[in-house]
């Protein structure tokens, strides 16, 4: 009968399958040390069975939160040197303004891992059975639904590849037994004893009591998490066709069909739309506000709901998920037409070219050329006469006529000569800027450096 050590190795081999390029998140703690040791053994075993050697790398994320952090880096470096594992470390900066230190450290860690992953390389991390139980209880504390209660999947898409957690069915006690038998050395993070952090509070104060009363509590929680995950997977399959019919080619979601759905179905569809857009799952109250304050806002409103680092807005009976753009209204940039002009907030570059741009008249010697954003003064209040239109129209009507979404209106470069509006680049040319057939004119090209829908 196979012992626990052999079973761990067999389980790991099954989960990894045919993957030969592996990046391991290596903190130097017990869990990741056991994981890396098992992978080193598996590498030796696979090399004996096949001529193709496993490419194994380890990365240590330096959060800068502990005075011993530099010592941990050196410990990890030495372990990897001893085990002949390619090692690197990445120091991260934490943004604690929104969600606190625990969430900031996790976000920074996964961002660094995402940036480090190479093509065809899978990421393997060392979360175990007790971690899964803690994650479930934390989701329960937050009032999460089935998606949150499904906790951590053993395998999931990540950064264009796959994230594998092969130890989710292994308890911390089993990992300790393995480490002691194999005479492994690991670091202990003393901050794990600080129960001000939610996860530590559960680990130090709650989980021991639950273990004492119900020794198999983590296994039961893991089953519940798996069942919640199955329910979510089933909903994904049942709702995918409806979701596909609602999402436009631009990635927005149509509002009218959602009005005929029950609240439960509408919320489920909105959650899946946001998930496909890469947004963290919103709370139920946030979904209700998105629907009531944005989707159902009065028709002449331009509603906006801030969700994390994104904005949800409505345009033409669709909900759009957008980045939080820098405010540009009122910005004025002087432009020497002999030089390229870099626009703010990643909007790209303007330059004069011989072709492929919009052709306007040349400025006179006493006209100053500027680029502005957002109609100001007379242009905002009065009517604008443009080429190809007999009658002048108000700026807001022009934007609507040309199908320019509200969030793009102050992100569209406006070309001015002195105080005369010459063109809204990429949209229209005014009669003040019209180039006569016999004149040379100038061609203005806008090279868009970033998508700005």
């Amino acid at each position: 009968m196979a012992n626990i050590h052999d079973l761990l190795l067999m389980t790991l081999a099954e989960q990894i399958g045919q993957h030969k390029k592996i990046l391991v998140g290596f903190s130097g703690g017990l869990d990741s040390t056991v994981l890396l040791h098992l992978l080193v053994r598996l590498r030796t075993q696979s090399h004996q069975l096949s001529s193709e050697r496993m490419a194994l790398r380890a990365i240590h994320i330096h959060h800068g939160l502990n005075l011993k952090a530099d010592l941990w880096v050196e410990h990890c470096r030495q372990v990897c040197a001893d085990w002949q594992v390619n090692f690197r470390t990445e120091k991260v900066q934490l943004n604690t303004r929104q969600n606190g230190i625990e969430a900031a450290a996790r976000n920074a860690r996964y961002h660094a891992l995402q940036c480090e992953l190479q093509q065809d390389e899978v990421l393997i991390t060392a979360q175990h059975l007790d971690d899964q139980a803690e994650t479930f209880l934390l989701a329960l504390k937050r009032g999460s639904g089935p998606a949150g209660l499904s906790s951590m999947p053993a395998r999931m898409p990540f950064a264009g590849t796959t994230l594998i957690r092969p130890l989710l069915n292994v308890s911390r006690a089993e990992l300790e037994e393995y480490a002691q038998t194999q005479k492994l050395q690991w670091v202990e993070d003393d901050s794990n004893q600080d129960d001000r952090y939610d996860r530590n509070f559960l680990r130090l104060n709650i989980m021991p009591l639950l273990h004492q009363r119900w020794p198999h509590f983590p296994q039961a929680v893991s089953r519940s998490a798996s069942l919640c995950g199955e329910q979510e997977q089933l909903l994904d399959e049942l709702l995918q066709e409806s979701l596909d019919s609602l999402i436009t080619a631009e990635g927005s979601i149509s509002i009218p069909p959602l009005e005929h759905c029950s609240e439960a179905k509408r919320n489920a569809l909105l959650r899946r739309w946001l998930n496909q857009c890469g947004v963290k799952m919103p709370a139920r109250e946030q979904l209700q506000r998105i629907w009531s304050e944005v989707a159902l806002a009065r028709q002449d409103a331009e509603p906006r709901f801030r969700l994390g680092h994104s904005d949800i807005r409505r345009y033409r009976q669709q909900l759009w998920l957008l980045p939080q753009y820098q405010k540009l209204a009122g910005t004025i940039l002087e432009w020497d037409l002999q030089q390229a002009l870099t626009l703010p907030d990643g909007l790209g570059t303007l330059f004069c070219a011989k072709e492929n741009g919009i052709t306007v008249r040349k400025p006179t010697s006493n006209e100053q050329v500027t680029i502005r954003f957002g109609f100001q003064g007379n242009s905002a209040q009065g009517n604008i006469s443009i080429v190809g239109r007999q009658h002048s129209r108000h700026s807001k009507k022009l934007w609507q006529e040309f199908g320019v979404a509200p969030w793009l209106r102050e992100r569209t470069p406006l070309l001015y000569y002195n105080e005369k509006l010459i063109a809204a680049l990429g949209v229209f040319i005014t009669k003040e800027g019209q180039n006569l057939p016999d004149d040379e004119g100038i061609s203005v090209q806008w090279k868009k450096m970033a998508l700005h829908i």
Side-chain angles (χ1 to χ4, degrees):
M1 182 175 179
N3 60 33
I4 181 63
H5 301 173
D6 294 333
L7 288 174
L8 282 175
L9 203 59
M10 291 168 55
T11 300
L12 184 62
E14 289 174 3
Q15 299 238 23
I16 291 175
Q18 299 301 310
H19 294 295
K20 295 297 183 182
K21 294 179 65 176
I22 294 170
L23 177 67
V24 187
F26 185 39
S27 69
L30 168 70
D31 317 334
S32 62
T33 300
V34 170
L35 176 61
L36 186 58
H37 188 264
L38 285 166
L39 284 165
V40 169
R41 289 179 60 194
L42 188 62
R43 179 182 63 183
T44 302
Q45 186 180 88
S46 64
H47 187 51
Q48 292 171 347
L49 299 174
S50 169
S51 59
E52 187 178 1
R53 183 177 174 86
M54 179 190 294
L56 184 59
R57 300 194 305 136
I59 181 171
H60 177 87
I61 307 301
H62 189 318
H63 298 95
L65 295 174
N66 195 295
L67 294 175
K68 300 177 183 177
D70 290 336
L71 295 176
W72 297 342
V73 171
E74 292 311 310
H75 168 84
C76 292
R77 192 188 309 278
Q78 186 58 55
V79 169
C80 288
D82 292 342
W83 294 348
Q84 298 180 347
V85 174
N86 188 304
F87 173 79
R88 67 157 296 152
T89 184
E90 185 71 31
K91 194 164 187 177
V92 296
Q93 299 293 324
L94 303 190
N95 180 2
T96 59
R97 287 177 294 181
Q98 284 196 327
N99 298 313
I101 290 179
E102 286 180 288
R106 182 174 59 253
N107 292 339
R109 181 164 61 251
Y110 277 100
H111 178 71
L113 293 170
Q114 178 178 344
C115 294
E116 178 61 25
L117 275 165
Q118 298 176 358
Q119 187 174 5
D120 299 326
E121 189 174 49
V122 295
L123 173 64
I124 300 188
T125 57
Q127 291 92 348
H128 51 72
L129 183 66
D130 299 78
D131 291 328
Q132 183 77 309
E134 293 161 9
T135 300
F136 184 94
L137 292 177
L138 288 170
L140 195 64
K141 184 265 296 183
R142 292 191 298 268
S144 299
L149 292 174
S150 62
S151 304
M152 297 179 287
R155 177 183 293 263
M156 62 178 284
F158 180 78
T161 178
T162 304
L163 166 59
I164 302 174
R165 300 181 177 100
L167 303 180
L168 282 182
N169 291 321
V170 183
S171 70
R172 180 178 176 84
E174 290 171 320
L175 295 179
E176 286 179 346
E177 179 192 340
Y178 179 93
Q180 289 166 0
T181 302
Q182 297 291 333
K183 296 182 171 54
L184 303 181
Q185 293 184 328
W186 62 91
V187 299
E188 293 285 358
D189 185 348
D190 48 13
S191 69
N192 288 336
Q193 302 304 311
D194 187 349
D195 65 5
R196 291 177 299 174
Y197 300 120
D198 289 345
R199 188 174 288 273
N200 289 349
F201 176 78
L202 286 174
R203 184 176 298 154
L204 297 172
N205 303 312
I206 305 301
M207 294 301 293
L209 290 175
L210 295 173
H211 271 290
Q212 183 179 347
R213 177 75 177 185
W214 301 293
H216 298 292
F217 180 79
Q219 288 86 346
V221 169
S222 181
R223 283 196 299 274
S224 292
S226 295
L227 290 171
C228 288
E230 287 181 13
Q231 292 296 311
E232 281 299 291
Q233 184 178 351
L234 177 60
L235 273 177
D236 287 342
E237 294 175 7
L238 293 175
L239 292 175
Q240 191 60 53
E241 186 175 347
S242 296
L243 187 62
D244 290 342
S245 70
L246 295 175
I247 297 179
T248 70
E250 295 82 11
S252 59
I253 187 168
S254 181
I255 293 172
L258 291 171
E259 294 179 294
H260 302 292
C261 295
S262 67
E263 182 180 3
K265 184 175 181 180
R266 183 174 65 241
N267 286 345
L269 288 165
L270 288 173
R271 283 193 184 98
R272 280 156 179 80
W273 169 61
L274 292 170
N275 183 60
Q276 286 189 12
C277 295
V279 175
K280 184 179 178 182
M281 191 66 66
R284 184 179 183 183
E285 182 264 342
Q286 290 176 307
L287 281 178
Q288 290 171 338
R289 290 186 59 192
I290 289 168
W291 184 249
S292 62
E293 297 175 17
V294 183
L296 300 183
R298 69 180 194 275
Q299 290 303 306
D300 61 344
E302 294 180 3
R304 176 189 312 187
F305 184 84
R306 182 150 292 183
L307 184 65
H309 296 291
S310 303
D311 283 333
I312 295 180
R313 304 186 66 164
R314 184 191 66 191
Y315 179 60
R316 292 188 169 178
Q317 287 296 85
Q318 296 164 14
L319 291 176
W320 298 73
L321 183 76
L322 304 162
Q324 290 179 8
Y325 294 126
Q326 177 183 332
K327 293 185 182 298
L328 298 179
T331 299
I332 300 178
L333 306 173
E334 293 186 16
W335 185 19
D336 176 1
L337 295 178
Q338 303 301 315
Q339 306 289 331
L341 177 67
T342 301
L343 299 175
D345 203 27
L347 280 174
T349 307
L350 297 181
F351 54 92
C352 289
K354 294 182 178 180
E355 54 186 16
N356 298 327
I358 64 164
T359 301
V360 297
R361 71 173 176 85
K362 277 187 175 182
T364 62
S365 58
N366 63 350
E367 286 181 321
Q368 182 189 37
V369 181
T370 58
I371 294 295
R372 309 183 186 191
F373 294 91
F375 285 122
Q376 307 293 315
N378 293 334
S379 296
Q381 303 300 324
N383 291 337
I384 300 172
S385 297
I386 69 172
V387 174
R389 298 289 189 278
Q390 184 176 358
H391 302 290
S392 61
R393 300 204 71 184
H394 191 279
S395 58
K396 186 173 182 179
K397 296 292 185 181
L398 281 175
W399 287 135
Q400 291 173 345
E401 179 182 340
F402 284 101
V404 180
W407 55 90
L408 293 183
R409 294 171 189 175
E410 73 167 50
R411 296 179 64 78
T412 300
L414 305 175
L415 176 64
Y416 276 79
Y417 295 167
N418 288 342
E419 296 305 312
K420 297 175 183 177
L421 175 63
I422 301 302
L425 301 183
V427 185
F428 59 76
I429 300 171
T430 69
K431 291 183 178 178
E432 291 279 1
Q434 185 175 15
N435 186 53
L436 298 176
D438 296 333
D439 294 338
E440 182 182 353
I442 60 170
S443 180
V444 179
Q445 187 170 343
W446 178 12
K447 185 177 181 181
K448 300 177 184 180
M449 302 298 291
L451 186 65
H452 63 290
I453 61 172

